[in-house]
Coordinates of all heavy atoms in Angstrom, one line a residue:
Q1 N 112.2 95.2 104.3 CA 111.0 95.4 103.8 C 110.8 94.2 102.7 O 111.7 93.7 102.1 CB 111.0 96.8 103.0 CG 110.9 98.1 103.8 CD 109.6 98.3 104.5 OE1 108.6 97.9 103.9 NE2 109.7 98.7 105.7
V2 N 109.4 94.0 102.5 CA 109.0 93.1 101.5 C 108.1 93.7 100.5 O 107.2 94.4 101.0 CB 108.3 91.8 102.3 CG1 107.8 90.8 101.2 CG2 109.3 91.1 103.2
Q3 N 108.3 93.5 99.2 CA 107.3 94.0 98.3 C 106.6 92.8 97.7 O 107.1 91.8 97.4 CB 108.1 94.7 97.2 CG 108.8 96.1 97.6 CD 110.1 95.8 98.3 OE1 110.9 95.0 98.0 NE2 110.3 96.5 99.5
L4 N 105.3 93.1 97.6 CA 104.3 92.0 97.1 C 103.6 92.4 95.9 O 103.0 93.6 96.0 CB 103.4 91.5 98.2 CG 104.0 90.9 99.4 CD1 102.9 90.7 100.5 CD2 104.9 89.7 99.2
V5 N 103.6 91.8 94.8 CA 102.9 92.1 93.6 C 102.0 91.2 93.1 O 102.6 90.1 92.7 CB 103.9 92.7 92.5 CG1 103.0 93.2 91.2 CG2 104.7 93.8 92.9
E6 N 100.8 91.3 93.1 CA 99.8 90.3 92.6 C 99.5 90.4 91.2 O 99.6 91.6 90.5 CB 98.4 90.6 93.5 CG 98.5 90.4 94.9 CD 98.5 91.7 95.7 OE1 98.9 92.7 94.9 OE2 98.0 91.8 96.7
S7 N 99.0 89.4 90.5 CA 98.7 89.4 89.1 C 97.7 88.3 89.0 O 97.6 87.4 89.9 CB 99.8 89.3 88.2 OG 100.6 88.1 88.4
G8 N 97.0 88.3 87.9 CA 96.1 87.1 87.5 C 94.6 87.4 87.6 O 93.8 86.4 87.3
G9 N 94.2 88.4 88.2 CA 92.9 88.7 88.4 C 92.2 89.0 87.0 O 92.9 89.1 86.0
G10 N 90.9 89.1 87.1 CA 90.1 89.3 85.8 C 88.6 89.0 86.0 O 88.2 88.9 87.1
L11 N 88.1 89.0 84.9 CA 86.5 88.8 84.7 C 86.3 87.2 84.3 O 86.9 86.9 83.3 CB 85.9 89.6 83.8 CG 84.5 89.4 83.5 CD1 83.5 89.5 84.7 CD2 84.0 90.5 82.4
V12 N 85.6 86.6 85.0 CA 85.3 85.1 84.6 C 83.8 84.8 84.8 O 83.3 85.4 85.7 CB 86.3 84.2 85.3 CG1 86.1 84.2 86.9 CG2 86.2 82.8 84.8
R13 N 83.3 83.8 84.1 CA 82.0 83.4 84.4 C 81.9 82.5 85.5 O 82.9 81.7 85.8 CB 81.4 82.8 83.1 CG 81.3 83.8 82.0 CD 80.6 83.2 80.8 NE 79.2 83.0 81.1 CZ 78.3 82.7 80.0 NH1 78.7 82.5 78.8 NH2 77.0 82.6 80.3
A14 N 80.8 82.4 86.1 CA 80.6 81.4 87.3 C 80.9 79.9 86.7 O 80.7 79.6 85.6 CB 79.2 81.4 87.7
G15 N 81.6 79.2 87.5 CA 82.0 77.9 87.2 C 83.4 77.9 86.6 O 84.0 76.7 86.4
G16 N 84.0 79.2 86.3 CA 85.4 79.1 85.7 C 86.5 79.1 86.8 O 86.2 79.0 87.9
S17 N 87.6 79.3 86.2 CA 88.8 79.3 87.0 C 89.7 80.5 86.7 O 89.8 81.0 85.7 CB 89.6 77.9 86.8 OG 88.8 76.8 87.1
L18 N 90.5 80.8 87.8 CA 91.6 81.8 87.7 C 92.7 81.4 88.6 O 92.5 80.7 89.5 CB 91.1 83.1 88.1 CG 90.3 84.0 87.2 CD1 89.7 85.2 87.9 CD2 90.9 84.3 85.9
R19 N 93.9 81.8 88.1 CA 95.1 81.5 89.1 C 95.7 82.8 89.4 O 96.2 83.5 88.5 CB 96.1 80.6 88.5 CG 97.1 80.2 89.5 CD 98.2 79.2 89.0 NE 99.2 79.8 88.2 CZ 100.4 79.4 88.0 NH1 100.7 78.2 88.5 NH2 101.2 79.9 87.2
L20 N 95.7 83.2 90.7 CA 96.4 84.4 91.1 C 97.9 84.1 91.5 O 98.2 83.1 92.0 CB 95.7 85.1 92.3 CG 94.2 85.3 92.2 CD1 93.7 86.0 93.5 CD2 94.0 86.1 91.0
S21 N 98.8 85.0 91.2 CA 100.1 85.0 91.6 C 100.5 86.1 92.5 O 100.0 87.3 92.2 CB 101.1 84.9 90.3 OG 100.8 83.8 89.6
C22 N 101.6 86.0 93.3 CA 102.0 87.0 94.2 C 103.6 86.9 94.1 O 104.2 85.9 94.8 CB 101.5 86.9 95.5 SG 102.2 88.0 96.7
A23 N 104.1 87.8 93.5 CA 105.6 87.8 93.5 C 106.3 88.6 94.7 O 105.9 89.8 94.8 CB 106.1 88.4 92.1
A24 N 107.2 88.0 95.4 CA 107.7 88.6 96.6 C 109.2 89.0 96.3 O 109.9 88.2 95.8 CB 107.5 87.7 97.8
T25 N 109.6 90.3 96.6 CA 110.9 90.6 96.5 C 111.4 91.5 97.8 O 110.4 91.7 98.6 CB 111.1 91.6 95.3 OG1 110.2 92.8 95.5 CG2 110.8 91.0 94.0
G26 N 112.6 91.7 97.9 CA 113.1 92.4 99.0 C 113.6 91.4 100.1 O 114.1 90.3 99.8
S27 N 113.3 91.7 101.4 CA 113.8 91.0 102.5 C 112.8 89.7 102.8 O 112.1 89.7 103.7 CB 114.0 91.7 103.7 OG 114.9 92.8 103.5
I28 N 112.9 88.8 101.8 CA 111.9 87.7 101.9 C 112.4 86.5 102.7 O 111.6 85.6 102.9 CB 111.5 87.1 100.5 CG1 112.8 86.6 99.8 CG2 110.9 88.2 99.6 CD1 112.7 85.9 98.5
F29 N 113.6 86.6 103.3 CA 114.0 85.5 104.2 C 113.2 85.6 105.5 O 112.7 86.7 105.9 CB 115.5 85.5 104.5 CG 115.9 86.9 105.1 CD1 115.9 87.2 106.5 CD2 116.2 88.0 104.3 CE1 116.3 88.4 107.0 CE2 116.6 89.2 104.8 CZ 116.7 89.4 106.1
N30 N 113.0 84.6 106.1 CA 112.3 84.6 107.4 C 110.8 84.9 107.2 O 110.3 85.4 108.3 CB 113.0 85.3 108.5 CG 114.2 84.7 108.9 OD1 114.5 83.5 108.9 ND2 115.2 85.6 109.4
I31 N 110.3 84.8 106.1 CA 108.8 85.0 106.0 C 108.2 83.7 106.7 O 108.4 82.6 106.2 CB 108.2 85.1 104.6 CG1 108.8 86.5 104.0 CG2 106.8 85.1 104.5 CD1 108.4 86.8 102.6
N32 N 107.4 83.9 107.7 CA 106.8 82.7 108.4 C 105.6 82.1 107.7 O 105.5 80.8 107.6 CB 106.3 83.3 109.8 CG 107.5 83.7 110.6 OD1 108.6 83.2 110.6 ND2 107.3 84.9 111.4
R33 N 104.7 83.0 107.2 CA 103.6 82.5 106.5 C 103.1 83.6 105.4 O 103.4 84.7 105.6 CB 102.5 82.1 107.4 CG 102.0 83.2 108.2 CD 101.0 82.7 109.3 NE 100.4 83.9 109.9 CZ 99.6 83.8 111.0 NH1 99.3 82.6 111.4 NH2 99.1 84.9 111.6

């Protein structure tokens, strides 16, 4: 099993920037993409 947890979302005005992150745990070996 692989667990994925996203973070970094939010409210931003047009033209702005955000960076999303996704932390993977568990059986992360052999993840193809």
Side-chain angles (χ1 to χ4, degrees):
Q1 291 290 325
V2 175
Q3 294 79 42
L4 303 171
V5 179
E6 302 101 332
S7 61
L11 173 64
V12 64
R13 299 184 70 172
S17 299
L18 283 174
R19 188 176 82 155
L20 305 183
S21 299
C22 172
T25 58
S27 300
I28 60 175
F29 57 91
N30 290 335
I31 290 179
N32 298 318
R33 62 187 183 186

